[in-house]
Amino acid sequence: MHDMKYGGYAGKILRVQLDSNDFKIESIPTEWITDYIGGDGFAARLMFAEVPGGCDPLGPENKLIVGTGPITGTLWPMSGRTVFVSKSPQTGIWGESHVGGFLGAELKYAGYDMLVIEGQSEKPVYVYVSDTDLQLIEAKDKWGMKTNEISAAIRSDHRDPDIQVGAIGPAGEKQVRFSSVIINNARAAGRTGMGAVLGSKNVKAIAVRGHGGIDVYDHEGFVEFAKDAHQRVRNNPQAQEMGKWGTWVLTAVKQEIGELPTRNHQTGVFDGWEKLSGDYIRPRYTISDRACFGCSLGCKKVNYIPDGPFRGTLEEGPEYEGLMAFGSLLGIDDYPTTLKANQICNRYGMDIISAGSTLAFAMELFEKGIIDTSDTDGLDISWGNRENTIRMLEKIGSRDGFGDILAEGSRIAAEKIGKNASEYAIHVKGLEVSGQDGRTHRSIGLSHATGARGADHLRSLVVVDQLGYEDVATERWGAHTLPEILNPYVEKYKATAVVETENAYCIRDTLIVCWYSVSWPPIFWMKDFAKLLPLATGIQSLGDEDNLTLIAERQVTLKRLFNAREGISRSDDTLPKRFTDEPMPEGPGKGQTVDLEPMLDDYYRLRGWNRESGLPTDETLHKLSLNWTRLNV
């Protein structure tokens, strides 16, 4: 039994010190728990204090954090999430990526809430954690392996099939800027280049095995509430749909509202959408369903291609974002191609959204004549070219030829290509835009512009407005905000929706629980977290919704301060001209553009940030107990 006085925590931070080939264990400070809860919150607190502004994300001063929360590894639904945090080599600012699977729960069972990887190893190693058995094991013979190969090799070496592995592939080793960390062969901590950080530190994998457990404060109360929560998920009609079709349900929804990103976001409707939809894919290709730790929804699908050029491909996924990134975004209406592309990204360890979007950027340059086959190693990368999409992806993963330029991500690639290539790089702060479009959904325009890690759909995406949940909107934001707040084409009240949603997601990401059930379908919200946290931890102040809101505001503002140290201000909270200046050409949102500035004014006012600079005011720093940050600027 650990000596932690609060339930839900292991109470320990494990530091891996690569320079000295050593490990160090520290207790988690009490005020971190009461002020930040866990997950993203702990990571923001540690990163701001310990990683100096202006440092090289691929240098020894940067750190990589693997974080969990007080609910990780418990009976609460969808509580197997893990967060990876570092300064991003893709954007140069705050980097984070959340992932499902089983790694986070295993880390807690081994006795640690956080793993912090520091410094740089002289030779390739992997980190091995089995309770108190802590080792840095030489990985020279494993360098170059794909992620599925290294995971299998580590399990085999230790003769333990239950070891949970987070690994990088060739893309992470070669520091592809959007390289990912892959868990359980098919779960990706994808965005912002966490794989490149591990590659720069010469760390091939993190392998964890735990034999302990997690004690919550009020066992009976917690179990009862968790059982009720699982029932709410199982009985929810949208959750049942998701269990059957996975995130592919979104393809048809997006097509219907004219927001299925097509040919590098040139339009929002795609002729071949039906072949990328759930009811087309499942009967033809799906062979089994899978779920992450503690999940009663089960959105993961394992698929097999029986014929055609990619015959024999067996892989989990892709999610909606993968269908979009390697389907409609590239003008490809062929599911087998998206599965093959997904598999390459999993095995090389690359973010699907950034890889697809960077390819779409290159395809548009090819269409416009800015580049031709003399630039692309002889490959015709016209819209819809399936074989060359796969070939170019492999070239990116191994930094070969033109793939070496695209491996930099669209922002840096555009600078290298020159001419007017930057006009076609669809990113915010260096992070490629995900599968949404502010022209048909104003609140996501604001989310993309203000997200701490760049164009982000996971930290504040409002779905209530777009899908017309009138009762939910009334409860959250008041009847006076209707009908405007539910109209996806107007800017009014969108900052209210985004700020409140970002706050709730913030608490979700400290716990850590999954996007599904909190975000869509909208089952759990702040009042549930306020009931859950005291049962888990025994800390009564975490049962106060106003205090949870304050903790969320503290966390959002601390990430903002982290970015401000790297030079980010209001002028960076912007969107590609495609969304602000080019009206949607067709579909339900025809003629629409995003008017960002009034939404930004509102957002800053609600956050207590200065309207001109976008930086927190002194009053806000005081209110959020963030005065200490001034010492670290």
Side-chain angles (χ1 to χ4, degrees), residues 30-173:
T30 302
E31 64 274 14
W32 283 24
I33 292 172
T34 53
D35 292 357
Y36 296 95
I37 301 173
D40 259 21
F42 284 1
R45 179 68 183 78
L46 188 143
M47 286 291 292
F48 192 90
E50 297 187 13
V51 174
C55 80
D56 177 2
L58 297 171
E61 288 183 307
N62 197 12
K63 300 187 180 189
L64 181 120
I65 295 170
V66 185
T68 68
I71 311 303
T72 309
T74 67
L75 288 171
W76 186 261
M78 289 93 149
S79 59
R81 308 289 292 174
T82 317
V83 64
F84 285 73
V85 174
S86 191
K87 182 176 172 183
S88 165
Q90 184 176 3
T91 60
I93 56 173
W94 174 263
E96 70 175 280
S97 198
H98 292 250
V99 61
F102 299 81
L103 183 78
E106 205 68 34
L107 186 63
K108 287 277 287 283
Y109 299 156
Y112 311 99
D113 295 297
M114 279 172 91
L115 185 68
V116 184
I117 299 179
E118 311 180 339
Q120 258 171 343
S121 174
E122 279 178 27
K123 54 180 193 284
V125 290
Y126 69 89
V127 177
Y128 176 75
V129 175
S130 178
D131 306 327
T132 54
D133 179 7
L134 310 171
Q135 299 179 53
L136 284 169
I137 298 173
E138 194 163 327
K140 197 170 160 215
D141 59 328
K142 294 176 171 62
W143 208 247
M145 281 185 177
K146 304 269 172 58
T147 58
N148 57 324
E149 295 164 345
I150 174 77
S151 299
I154 288 173
R155 289 188 174 126
S156 161
D157 286 356
H158 295 276
R159 296 187 178 82
D160 186 349
D162 293 325
I163 291 175
Q164 300 303 320
V165 181
I168 63 169
E173 295 173 8

Side-chain angles (χ1 to χ4, degrees), residues 297-546:
L297 189 147
C299 71
K300 305 297 176 201
K301 311 294 160 214
V302 180
N303 302 288
Y304 178 74
I305 307 299
D307 46 37
F310 306 123
R311 188 181 69 210
T313 303
L314 174 69
E315 189 73 8
E316 193 180 301
E319 303 294 324
Y320 158 72
E321 290 283 349
L323 289 177
M324 178 281 307
F326 298 120
S328 57
L329 199 67
L330 307 182
I332 291 172
D333 63 352
D334 179 62
Y335 174 74
T337 305
T338 68
L339 187 70
K340 185 65 187 175
N342 189 62
Q343 183 179 69
I344 290 168
C345 284
N346 284 345
R347 295 198 172 167
Y348 278 85
M350 293 191 286
D351 177 51
I352 279 169
I353 299 171
S354 287
S357 186
T358 302
L359 264 175
F361 150 77
M363 284 183 175
E364 187 167 0
L365 296 185
F366 196 83
E367 177 192 43
K368 300 277 193 294
I370 294 167
I371 58 172
D372 57 31
T373 50
S374 68
D375 301 289
T376 62
D377 310 325
L379 296 181
D380 170 358
I381 53 167
S382 305
W383 298 119
N385 190 319
R386 298 181 295 192
E387 283 77 8
N388 287 349
T389 289
I390 298 303
R391 287 173 69 182
M392 195 54 85
L393 256 187
E394 288 177 326
K395 287 168 87 66
I396 293 171
S398 48
R399 277 191 176 270
D400 169 41
F402 187 59
D404 189 31
I405 293 174
L406 298 185
E408 296 291 297
S410 57
R411 177 173 70 178
I412 299 173
E415 288 163 11
K416 291 192 167 189
I417 291 165
K419 303 173 196 170
N420 56 339
S422 291
E423 282 177 39
Y424 306 102
I426 309 299
H427 70 86
V428 177
K429 303 181 181 82
L431 189 68
E432 285 74 20
V433 174
S434 46
Q436 302 79 33
D437 192 316
R439 291 173 291 188
T440 42
H441 188 192
R442 290 299 189 274
S443 58
I444 193 61
L446 181 60
S447 285
H448 280 154
T450 55
R453 61 178 187 170
D456 201 322
H457 67 296
L458 294 173
R459 304 283 87 77
S460 65
L461 167 58
V462 184
V463 291
V464 170
D465 54 352
Q466 195 172 40
L467 300 176
Y469 286 95
E470 203 168 303
D471 50 339
V472 178
T474 307
E475 185 191 339
R476 286 184 190 171
W477 305 309
H480 71 282
T481 61
L482 299 170
E484 291 96 338
I485 205 158
L486 287 182
N487 182 341
Y489 301 132
V490 303
E491 281 78 12
K492 194 176 181 185
Y493 294 131
K494 291 306 183 284
T496 300
V498 166
V499 164
E500 208 242 11
T501 301
E502 189 170 30
N503 288 344
Y505 291 2
C506 221
I507 301 302
R508 175 200 73 194
D509 293 340
T510 63
L511 290 171
I512 307 169
V513 292
C514 185
W515 153 272
Y516 297 114
S517 80
V518 175
S519 317
W520 189 84
I523 303 173
F524 307 113
W525 206 246
M526 282 294 216
K527 64 176 184 291
D528 300 291
F529 301 152
K531 183 178 174 184
L532 170 66
L533 275 161
L535 292 172
T537 65
I539 302 169
Q540 294 314 305
S541 65
L542 297 182
D544 177 350
E545 280 189 62
D546 290 340

Side-chain angles (χ1 to χ4, degrees), residues 5 115 123 180 187 241 249 262 288 339 348 393 451 461 486 551 565 571 574:
K5 61 180 172 180
L115 185 68
K123 54 180 193 284
S180 55
R187 307 276 193 273
E241 284 277 287
V249 292
T262 299
S288 74
L339 187 70
Y348 278 85
L393 256 187
L461 167 58
L486 287 182
I551 290 170
R565 233 173 21 180
S571 60
T574 184

Side-chain angles (χ1 to χ4, degrees), residues 5-38:
K5 61 180 172 180
Y6 300 125
Y9 298 93
K12 299 275 187 279
I13 300 170
L14 176 62
R15 292 184 185 263
V16 184
Q17 297 173 312
L18 296 170
D19 293 343
S20 55
N21 211 3
D22 207 3
F23 291 83
K24 187 174 161 196
I25 298 170
E26 295 170 355
S27 293
I28 290 188
T30 302
E31 64 274 14
W32 283 24
I33 292 172
T34 53
D35 292 357
Y36 296 95
I37 301 173

